Amino acid sequence: KSIIKEQISFTKDEWDKNSSKLISTIINVLGNKEYLIVRSSSQNEDGFNSANAGKYKSILGVKINERSIINSVNEVINSFGDDVNKNDEVLIQPMLEDVIASGVAFTRTLKNNSPWYVINYSEGDDTTSITSGKNNDHKTFLIKKNLNYCIKEPSWMKNVLDSLKEIEKLLVFDYLDIEF
């Protein structure tokens, strides 16, 4: 039910030591796409005790050429500032097209870890409105786990719930924060 697009990730240290090889890999693996997204994947962004959506840079619509990739990766790494951790990563993926809705789904409530699915989303093709943490004009869907649910609107929500259940089962873990 879930599809995770191909991706390339690396740490700042790996970039500093071998950016040429990484650029070559990015172009070889993702070069058949029109545009990329270069994202932060920092230890300081999201964890069990906090959610810091949008704390660091993500750059959308990056053209697949050496100069654009170098500039975008450096901008994301620089956004870590003094907070940079050796395990912080840059994540590069193809840009999504024809997006119906996007958001963040939690498999437990943040405040007290209650067994509910909490899905913050916005409909339309702006994939940053929720994940950037800058837009509070969104919708929230809340449903208790282990209920037989019948969802009429929005129609795509059942797919998100089925994916969450699938990922929980695969990971044998149900404290998740998943962007979709």
Side-chain angles (χ1 to χ4, degrees):
K1 306 249 181 215
S2 305
I3 298 170
I4 299 173
K5 295 287 188 180
E6 59 270 349
Q7 59 187 334
I8 295 170
S9 61
F10 48 87
T11 65
K12 177 188 181 309
D13 190 46
E14 291 169 328
W15 177 256
D16 290 342
K17 288 179 181 172
N18 208 347
S19 62
S20 297
K21 182 178 179 189
L22 288 168
I23 291 166
S24 178
T25 301
I26 293 163
I27 291 171
N28 287 333
V29 173
L30 303 175
N32 62 336
K33 309 300 180 197
E34 189 170 352
Y35 294 104
L36 302 175
I37 181 168
V38 179
R39 307 184 64 190
S40 60
S41 183
S42 168
Q43 302 292 306
N44 295 324
E45 284 181 293
D46 294 315
F48 291 110
N49 298 317
S50 66
N52 290 310
K55 182 172 183 177
Y56 303 112
K57 283 240 179 195
S58 289
I59 302 170
L60 288 70
V62 175
K63 291 183 180 179
I64 303 176
N65 63 59
E66 187 173 337
R67 178 61 31 216
S68 295
I69 293 168
I70 288 170
N71 290 342
S72 299
V73 169
N74 286 336
E75 193 172 337
V76 169
I77 289 172
N78 289 338
S79 75
F80 295 147
D82 294 335
D83 292 340
V84 72
N85 175 307
K86 70 176 184 163
N87 296 317
D88 290 343
E89 294 181 317
V90 174
L91 174 69
I92 301 180
Q93 299 170 288
M95 284 287 298
L96 293 175
E97 298 174 0
D98 303 320
V99 174
I100 296 169
S102 62
V104 177
F106 299 93
T107 58
R108 293 267 177 171
T109 61
L110 283 176
K111 194 163 192 151
N112 56 15
N113 294 323
S114 296
W116 288 74
Y117 294 112
V118 181
I119 303 170
N120 297 313
Y121 67 95
S122 67
E123 294 179 293
D125 61 358
D126 180 0
T127 60
T128 65
S129 64
I130 302 296
T131 57
S132 69
K134 295 176 182 163
N135 184 344
N136 291 324
D137 186 27
H138 63 271
K139 299 174 184 172
T140 299
F141 183 85
L142 184 68
I143 187 166
K144 187 164 177 42
K145 287 186 176 188
N146 301 322
L147 290 179
N148 291 327
Y149 52 84
C150 176
I151 300 171
K152 296 181 181 181
E153 292 297 329
S155 59
W156 52 265
M157 186 64 72
K158 183 178 182 321
N159 294 338
V160 172
L161 288 166
D162 288 345
S163 292
L164 293 173
K165 290 179 181 185
E166 175 185 50
I167 294 167
E168 286 176 312
K169 185 176 178 180
L170 287 170
L171 296 176
V172 191
F173 192 72
D174 72 344
Y175 291 80
L176 302 173
D177 169 353
I178 298 172
E179 293 181 15
F180 65 93

